[in-house]
């Protein structure tokens, strides 16, 4: 093999290894390559169990609003929407002992409970201690926004809050400006706080079977980290055109240096 062939082979190798393959960029691919439509059994998201520092929005209603006004925070009975900051300051934060402190009702233990279980617990206490069933008490308990944190190779990093009951990983990424072209979609790390400790798991967003993963649906306070692809550290370019441009620049620099040294 002569020198020209060697250099040509080297350039072609650099070109192909530095480019990011299409398969690394496309979400939810059918990697079974069956060519037929596959039915996926979606894993139902487990109900979230409350943890310390969660903020709850509790609203108590009745036929006569005056009867329950004392149980609500200042703006809870107005029927108007609240901003994220208002929910934080007017909501009920789960303290280190797992309790929330409500007007009149006092401290209520909610750690490890689901939102539905907390609603039933508050409603039961109201009916046992303050009201009769004829008062038609209506209690709603919600998280003050679905909060998660995302970092790494995405368009917009930081802590995000979505006002909906369930959020999956695809929605979270879409609300963060999508994964950049140099982000590793095959190894997205989710860090989750659980009653038994911290769980860490990698999921492959390029595989359609990720929908079956218990980590496909997020839980409040999840941390998402998108690692960079190795092509980012090489700096040779993300596409074929960029790689060719880099190679031409290197060759031009090498040629110029060689000619200057010969003078």
């Amino acid at each position: 093999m002569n020198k020209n062939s060697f250099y040509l082979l080297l350039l072609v190798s650099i070109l192909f290894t530095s480019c990011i393959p299409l398969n690394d960029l496309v979400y939810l691919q059918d990697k079974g390559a069956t060519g037929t439509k596959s039915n996926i059994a979606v894993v139902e998201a487990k109900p979230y169990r409350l943890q310390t520092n969660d903020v709850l929005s509790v609203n108590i209603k009745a036929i006569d609003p005056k009867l329950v006004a004392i149980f609500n925070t200042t703006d809870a009975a107005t029927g108007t929407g609240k901003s994220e900051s208002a929910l934080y300051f007017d909501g009920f934060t789960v303290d280190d002992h797992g309790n929330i402190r409500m007007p009149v009702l006092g401290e209520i233990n909610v750690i490890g409970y689901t939102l539905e279980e907390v609603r039933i617990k508050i409603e039961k206490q109201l009916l046992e201690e303050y009201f009769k069933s004829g008062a038609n008490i209506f209690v709603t308990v919600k998280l003050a926004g679905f909060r998660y944190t995302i970092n790494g190779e995405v368009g917009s990093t930081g802590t995000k809050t979505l006002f909906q009951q369930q959020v999956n990983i695809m929605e979270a990424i879409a609300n963060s400006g999508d994964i950049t072209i140099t982000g590793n979609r095959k190894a997205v790390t989710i860090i989750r706080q659980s009653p038994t400790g911290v769980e860490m798991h990698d999921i492959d967003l390029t595989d359609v079977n990720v929908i079956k993963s218990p980590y496909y649906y997020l839980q409040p306070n999840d941390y998402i980290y998108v690692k960079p692809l190795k092509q980012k550290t090489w700096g040779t370019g993300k596409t074929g055109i960029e790689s060719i441009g880099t190679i031409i620049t290197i060759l031009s620099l090498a040629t110029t240096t060689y000619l200057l040294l010969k003078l």
Side-chain angles (χ1 to χ4, degrees):
M1 180 183 293
N2 56 37
K3 287 186 177 180
N4 291 335
S5 299
F6 173 76
Y7 289 136
L8 179 61
L9 181 61
L10 179 62
L11 291 176
V12 171
S13 300
I14 293 173
L15 177 63
F16 279 100
T17 55
S18 62
C19 295
I20 299 174
L22 182 63
N23 287 341
D24 289 350
L25 301 176
V26 179
Y27 293 107
L28 305 179
Q29 302 170 55
D30 183 3
K31 296 192 175 182
T34 58
T36 58
K37 185 178 180 181
S38 58
N39 295 322
I40 300 173
V42 179
V43 177
E44 292 185 5
K46 294 181 180 179
Y48 175 66
R49 296 196 173 273
L50 296 171
Q51 302 178 33
T52 56
N53 297 321
D54 281 338
V55 181
L56 300 182
S57 172
V58 181
N59 195 3
I60 303 171
K61 296 180 181 179
I63 295 177
D64 185 356
K66 294 180 181 179
L67 294 176
V68 295
I70 193 172
F71 296 98
N72 289 312
T73 52
T74 306
D75 299 324
T78 61
T80 58
K82 289 185 178 182
S83 65
E84 183 180 344
S85 59
L87 285 170
Y88 175 79
F89 288 109
D90 293 338
F92 303 99
T93 303
V94 182
D95 63 24
D96 293 337
H97 302 288
N99 301 323
I100 58 172
R101 190 163 176 262
M102 293 188 62
V104 182
L105 295 178
E107 291 191 344
I108 302 173
N109 186 264
V110 298
I111 193 76
Y113 287 81
T114 65
L115 294 175
E116 178 64 14
E117 289 169 347
V118 174
R119 182 194 68 78
I120 293 172
K121 189 174 186 179
I122 293 174
E123 195 171 276
K124 182 180 179 181
Q125 185 175 346
L126 287 170
L127 291 174
E128 287 179 350
E129 299 179 10
Y130 300 99
F131 299 99
K132 295 181 180 179
S133 58
N136 288 330
I137 300 299
F138 185 80
V139 180
T140 57
V141 179
K142 295 182 179 180
L143 282 170
F146 193 108
R147 188 171 65 248
Y148 67 93
T149 302
I150 188 165
N151 203 357
E153 296 297 312
V154 292
S156 174
T157 61
T159 299
K160 314 290 181 181
T161 302
L162 300 179
F163 293 99
Q164 57 192 72
Q165 291 292 330
Q166 282 188 342
V167 177
N168 62 50
I169 183 65
M170 303 301 291
E171 291 174 315
I173 288 172
N175 278 280
S176 304
D178 200 7
I179 297 176
T180 64
I181 195 171
T182 54
N184 190 351
R185 291 161 174 79
K186 292 185 176 181
V188 176
T189 302
I190 296 178
I191 302 173
R192 178 170 296 170
Q193 182 71 41
S194 69
T196 57
V198 178
E199 301 173 1
M200 184 181 295
H201 190 78
D202 284 354
I203 58 175
D204 181 1
L205 296 183
T206 67
D207 189 347
V208 70
N209 289 309
V210 71
I211 297 176
K212 299 177 182 179
S213 170
Y215 290 87
Y216 180 73
Y217 282 98
L218 299 180
Q219 290 192 1
N221 305 312
D222 275 357
Y223 181 93
I224 306 165
Y225 176 63
V226 182
K227 305 180 186 72
L229 289 168
K230 57 186 178 182
Q231 283 89 341
K232 182 177 182 179
T233 60
W234 293 351
T236 53
K238 301 180 286 292
T239 64
I241 298 298
E242 289 184 7
S243 298
I244 291 173
T246 302
I247 292 170
I248 291 174
T249 302
I250 294 172
L251 290 176
S252 299
L253 179 61
T255 303
T256 303
T257 304
Y258 175 75
L259 293 175
L260 289 173
L261 291 175
K262 286 191 66 177
L263 293 177

